[in-house]
Amino acid sequence: MPRLCDLCSQVLPRVAKIANRGLRQLGILWLILEGSHLFTTFPRSPAILRADDIRYEGWTKNGERTTAAGITPFFAGNDLYVKFDNRDHGNPDNFLRNVLVLPVSWQPASGAWVEMTNGDLLPARLSRWVPPAENGSQPALVVATLEGPGAQGDIPPLACQIRPAAIRRVWMGNARPSRSQPGQVELMDGRQLLAKALRFRETGLDCLTESGLVHVEFAQLRGATWPTAGTETDYLAEGLWNGQPQQPGVIRIRTSRGAILSAGREVIRRHREPEREQELLNLRPNWTTQTLKIAPERIRAVSWRKPNEIPLSLLPMQVTYTLSAARRWPVQIDASATGQELRCGDLMAEWGYGTHAGTILQHALPAGCKSFSAWVGLDPGVGTGGCAKVSVRRDSPTGPVLWESDFLRGNQPAVRIGPLSIEGAQNLVLVVDQAHENRPNGADPYDIRDQVNWLWPTVEIDPAQLRTTAEPLEDWIPSLRGFTVAEADRTKISLRPTWTEQGWRFALVPLDHDQKAQLILSRAVPLNLLHGRVEITAAHDGDGGRKHQVGLKFGEQNLDSAMNGNIQTGERDARRGEYVTREWSLGEILGQTGKLNLAFIPEDRGGHQAGVVIDKIQVGPLITDLPASGQPLAPEIPLASVKPQKLPDDQAKWENGKRTDDQPLVFRGYRFNSGVGVKTGSELTFELRPEWRKFTAVIGLCDGWQGVGPYEILLDGQPHWRDPTDFNRTAAAKQIVVEIPPGHKTLTIKLGGKDCFALLGNAGFSKK
């Protein structure tokens, strides 16, 4: 039995010929075929028919095509390109633009998905919004759950963290819609809103409309397009990590599930994980704070571009349709008008447009644009009857013509455009004319099959527009949220991707403008008990240069860590997952006004400086479990006013605000004016009054090196309450509240630990 594709290749051309011959009398026939999408089964050009042994297709920037039965693995070692049957294809001047993996089936993105401002597409459903952490350890994130057939195999893990500012559009329905207007919000019940602004909340979106604020739960949301999203820096951000700006080091990967992921070459790595028997591609797109993983066998296509190249489809676009003889076909981004892969003749492109005659696309250009280039032609699926004219115009649909075509015909090769100079232009306009007049012989009447594909439409900008520093720093190092660098020091730092056991991290690299100068990052922090403790974890990035001390200052005052001074990054290598952790108490400066300064102090020797990988900077409470006021509870009857039945012989003092050795009651620099400090190993028994209902205190290590704990409370000699915490010299103190049921006569406090003083700050009894 002949194969279906062979049968189609024999039968469908005859159908097309008959339909074309009678079209002027029966023009409705092709309208029916279009409406049912049957016309897309017409054979493509013989030049791109695939032999059984062809598994890969590749194209260079100049449109040169090659095929192969085998290629070298993607991103193995430091090779930027792949080899086709051990042959090089492309060079730095005519680099490899696109590779298609034919055995991997192609599935357009459907169902729920998230579109990013850099054009990436994630088949996922928004599940929740995570607000920024109070202690500064985590920026705001949107969590999306990957879904659909093959999603887990494509990109584990299933929960993906997304920077909210990187989201352009979301869709939670089943069928992918056409481009919607900015601010449009659609609900599952069919209602539509037009929002001036959208703001994430934990379980949904707040939509600011003309009539007021409307909250939409994620479960109610079908789709939303942000009113304003993205700047030119989003389009260029992947190029920050390209070590050679003139090389095509920005990579775009499309998976079999329809995901599109872009990243700089220096944040893509093949890595074999112990729990898997295969290597995975680990990459860090700039819109997420985590490393994503792709199974190589799920890759359908890979494309390359230079850091200063912007796919035109990423720029803000206004679409205008003119009257058409056929039904109006919406513009498709990165696909043909019928949702297929973008092809024309021998060319296939990973980005571009699928359009129909009678379409005008006007794009707002960012600053510094130099040139525009593309390929254009009719989609091979339309057969020989398609016909159209196109032009490229400057500033407006009626502006100066930069380039225009003659009649483009079906089954003809793609035509190359440019590079065209667009310096100083505000807009770039692509016009697909209906070309009704003087159509060539054999062309269909009107514009029934006039489907035009724009392949690789690309704007090149001045390389000087590329960002040389990566501010704000928290985009790349989330723990630095809120820290700023002085204007004079901006040019003295850079960021460098570093591969670690936890995935891709970014190292802060002080540059060698002044080998002995300290780099200072500043952050304003409320200096109170809720923000009274700082924990920093860091290491060097394995570069081999001079390592650093990482210390904490208040203004010019050096703060001492709880143990062993500043962080010495030379002790640990982040690539192996090794870090040094230090904790600083702000107890001595609470209530003062000023900024915390993070100091990077280089080693006093020659050579360049290594990078510092900041794993964590966490500002936390000096005392946990405090009430909303942020202050310890004040008991009605201070503990120091109630004499215990017996004091240890060596602890003669029992005074409010002191330890039993007559020293002030201080916890990591914070002075308690109420409460007592008692030596570990002690048992203190107090007679209870009937009206006492609660015992409250702040517990922790008052002084010493060994640690305190557990704390235990007995009522009438029987266990009643226990806190198992081992309060060491870096642990925060804790506010406790212990209920006292009526009828008990005595309360005993047992203090575990060795050779230390236990804190009972603001301790005492309350009647309520």
Side-chain angles (χ1 to χ4, degrees), residues 145-260:
T145 303
L146 300 182
E147 62 173 33
Q152 185 171 10
D154 269 5
I155 315 168
L158 288 180
C160 187
Q161 301 171 356
I162 304 172
R163 292 190 296 110
I167 296 177
R168 182 198 300 274
R169 190 179 180 205
V170 299
W171 182 255
M172 316 276 265
N174 294 320
R176 185 177 181 182
S178 60
R179 178 183 285 265
S180 56
Q181 63 176 316
Q184 183 173 319
V185 178
E186 185 175 343
L187 278 63
M188 286 294 184
D189 60 10
R191 287 181 295 158
Q192 292 190 352
L193 307 171
L194 190 60
K196 297 179 179 180
L198 295 174
R199 179 174 294 177
F200 280 104
R201 289 293 179 254
E202 187 172 356
T203 60
L205 287 176
D206 280 350
C207 310
L208 180 61
T209 69
E210 289 282 356
S211 56
L213 194 65
V214 179
H215 180 74
V216 179
E217 296 287 324
F218 288 138
Q220 300 174 310
L221 180 66
R222 181 180 296 275
T225 301
W226 265 248
T228 56
T231 64
E232 55 265 30
T233 55
D234 292 311
Y235 320 138
L236 302 172
E238 291 88 0
L240 288 170
W241 319 121
N242 184 36
Q244 298 175 308
Q246 300 307 314
Q247 296 296 315
V250 179
I251 315 297
R252 170 182 158 129
I253 298 172
R254 179 156 56 92
T255 72
S256 59
R257 175 67 180 88
I260 297 174

Side-chain angles (χ1 to χ4, degrees), residues 32 89 114 125 151 274 359 388 431 479 510 541 567 638 681 694 700 730 734:
I32 295 173
H89 189 56
V114 184
R125 182 178 298 276
T359 305
V431 179
S479 289
D541 66 350
I567 292 175
K694 291 179 183 177
T730 64
K734 179 188 292 188

Side-chain angles (χ1 to χ4, degrees), residues 432-601:
V432 184
D433 189 13
Q434 292 171 311
H436 287 167
E437 302 296 329
N438 302 317
R439 291 170 73 89
N441 291 332
D444 297 335
Y446 305 111
D447 53 5
I448 293 175
R449 289 191 289 178
D450 297 354
Q451 297 192 354
V452 174
N453 291 338
W454 298 82
L455 283 66
W456 299 318
T458 304
V459 171
E460 187 171 329
I461 71 164
D462 185 342
Q465 295 292 320
L466 292 173
R467 290 191 292 177
T468 56
T469 59
E471 292 267 76
L473 296 174
E474 67 254 29
D475 283 357
W476 323 106
I477 307 176
S479 289
L480 291 180
R481 187 175 72 89
F483 282 93
T484 58
V485 60
E487 191 69 32
D489 289 338
R490 284 175 179 264
T491 59
K492 298 179 182 178
I493 60 171
S494 68
L495 295 179
R496 180 163 58 217
T498 300
W499 174 254
T500 74
E501 288 189 354
Q502 297 83 21
W504 285 109
R505 299 289 180 89
F506 288 95
L508 187 68
V509 186
L511 302 180
D512 290 319
H513 298 294
D514 186 342
Q515 292 192 353
K516 295 184 179 181
Q518 299 181 16
L519 174 65
I520 302 294
L521 301 182
S522 299
R523 178 182 170 191
V525 175
L527 297 177
N528 53 43
L529 289 174
L530 298 177
H531 305 86
R533 180 169 158 267
V534 180
E535 180 181 339
I536 302 176
T537 302
H540 71 85
D541 66 350
D543 180 67
R546 291 185 293 141
K547 310 305 188 293
H548 296 79
Q549 290 185 41
V550 180
L552 196 64
K553 297 183 175 185
F554 178 65
E556 296 297 321
Q557 174 188 349
N558 290 313
L559 300 178
D560 293 328
S561 72
M563 56 186 298
N564 302 329
N566 292 335
I567 292 175
Q568 307 288 335
T569 64
E571 299 176 9
R572 298 289 189 271
D573 187 341
R575 295 172 303 173
R576 297 194 291 266
E578 303 171 347
Y579 294 91
V580 182
T581 298
R582 295 285 185 271
E583 296 192 21
W584 284 263
S585 170
L586 310 181
E588 293 183 354
I589 58 174
L590 294 187
Q592 300 185 40
T593 302
K595 290 185 177 181
L596 291 181
N597 291 324
L598 189 63
F600 298 84
I601 308 165

